[in-house]
Amino acid sequence: MSDILITAIALRSRLQEGQTLRIFDARHDLMNHAWGHDVYLQGHIPGAIFLDHETELAAEKTGSNGRHPLPNREEFAALIAHKGVHIDDAVVIYDNDNMMFAAHLWWMLRWLGFEKVQILSGGFKAWRAIEGEVETGEAPVLPPQQWSLRESLVRLVTVDEVERNLETPEFTLLDARTPVRYRGEEEPMDPVAGHIPGALNRPFALNLDAEGYYKSAEQLREEFTALASSPEQIVHQCGSGITACHNILAMEIAGLKGAGLYAGSWSEWIADPSRPTATIEQED
């Protein structure tokens, strides 16, 4: 298994050995924003710190910056430090099962410069499957930490760069949304259906096997190298920058480093009606 992923059994062993870990609970539901914190209170891995995708992992929405705009980097660092987590800590992140929200937080911590970040493979469901210990209510508050931002370990691509890429192609845009949303047949989250012209569709669910775990590094490498000759030529997007990180994580597991993230994604793109959109019918 990739060093980025940790199994529930391995995590339990490290906790039983008394290793110092900072654990983040990133469970969320895009259609029911209260769900993540509700289930966290009902039961979470001991010591896990809950982070809310709508209020803590996103900046204020302006109507033009998408559904989950990245927060200010310095303010986000201050939030993590206030939660009692140091940039040198070993961090483990989990969500409910498919790792999409965990992958997003993983990318965001790497954006701050965190080097030791892992994701619980299979999420909280995997933890419950091994009957891992669970605590309820809010976790004890940790003393705030102080540390400085470091160089980002990820590549962030702006909407301006995506617009320029339409005229002068320099990278391949991969859309992580479902095929029906990409094709423009339905759009449950945003007011406009379709995709950014020229983008290819790589639904994030394709990264998982039948049991809901990431495929092998070898299989993922074969699938992504078929889309572009080098990882640096790929920029990922989705609806609001979350599931795109699932594809970035898949590439990292495969040893394909250097892909970018267009964080604003489709929800930012369509906020300006002058930006072009496409559907499969139009392209045909």
Side-chain angles (χ1 to χ4, degrees):
M1 177 175 286
S2 166
D3 291 340
I4 305 172
L5 301 175
I6 183 171
T7 66
I9 291 174
L11 176 58
R12 182 172 62 184
S13 296
R14 290 176 67 180
L15 292 174
Q16 290 174 341
E17 291 167 3
Q19 294 187 29
T20 300
L21 297 174
R22 296 298 179 228
I23 303 174
F24 283 117
D25 185 317
R27 284 178 287 178
H28 189 56
D29 187 327
L30 292 172
M31 306 304 288
N32 177 6
H33 296 168
W35 178 84
H37 191 242
D38 287 346
V39 295
Y40 169 83
L41 295 176
Q42 294 168 20
H44 54 264
I45 296 175
I49 302 164
F50 180 77
L51 287 176
D52 191 291
H53 257 81
E54 303 298 322
T55 61
E56 295 176 306
L57 300 183
E60 183 178 353
K61 302 170 185 62
T62 64
S64 62
N65 58 357
R67 284 185 282 107
H68 294 97
L70 283 178
N72 174 276
R73 193 166 175 257
E74 288 73 18
E75 291 177 0
F76 179 51
L79 169 71
I80 298 300
H82 182 72
K83 297 284 187 179
V85 180
H86 195 278
I87 197 168
D88 289 323
D89 285 339
V91 175
V92 175
I93 308 166
Y94 69 90
D95 56 24
N96 198 51
D97 50 10
N98 65 15
M99 297 163 281
M100 62 181 267
F101 295 109
H104 186 229
L105 179 53
W106 165 83
W107 187 94
M108 292 182 69
L109 292 178
R110 300 281 288 170
W111 180 48
L112 298 183
F114 275 73
E115 295 184 357
K116 295 179 288 186
V117 187
Q118 292 180 295
I119 289 176
L120 176 58
S121 182
F124 193 65
K125 284 187 177 179
W127 183 256
R128 294 306 301 263
I130 66 164
E131 299 182 351
E133 185 180 354
V134 171
E135 68 179 13
T136 59
E138 297 287 359
V141 177
L142 299 173
Q145 299 291 311
Q146 289 189 341
W147 44 269
S148 299
L149 275 171
R150 296 178 185 167
E151 183 178 354
S152 171
L153 300 174
V154 294
R155 175 180 160 213
L156 179 61
V157 175
T158 67
V159 65
D160 291 338
E161 291 175 276
V162 177
E163 287 183 327
R164 288 196 296 269
N165 195 65
L166 295 180
E167 300 299 327
T168 308
E170 295 182 352
F171 54 78
T172 298
L173 201 59
L174 291 189
D175 188 328
R177 295 175 302 158
T178 59
V180 290
R181 293 180 70 192
Y182 169 83
R183 291 194 296 262
E185 296 171 6
E186 62 180 53
E187 181 46 71
M189 304 294 294
D190 296 303
V192 178
H195 59 269
I196 299 172
L200 303 180
N201 193 207
R202 166 70 189 190
F204 81 95
L206 294 180
N207 300 322
L208 305 177
D209 61 21
E211 284 71 44
Y213 294 90
Y214 269 99
K215 296 175 181 176
S216 70
E218 294 75 19
Q219 188 170 357
L220 291 170
R221 188 179 305 115
E222 180 180 347
E223 293 176 7
F224 278 100
T225 53
L227 299 173
S229 58
S230 70
E232 293 82 4
Q233 291 182 328
I234 293 179
V235 171
H236 295 278
Q237 53 98 182
C238 54
S240 63
I242 293 178
T243 57
C245 294
H246 200 278
N247 277 348
I248 295 176
L249 179 62
M251 292 188 67
E252 291 271 343
I253 291 170
L256 302 171
K257 302 178 184 298
L261 171 68
Y262 168 35
S265 288
W266 179 247
S267 57
E268 178 186 52
W269 184 262
I270 61 170
D272 183 344
S274 71
R275 296 185 186 121
T277 62
T279 64
I280 292 300
E281 291 76 9
Q282 291 171 337
E283 293 181 347
D284 290 343

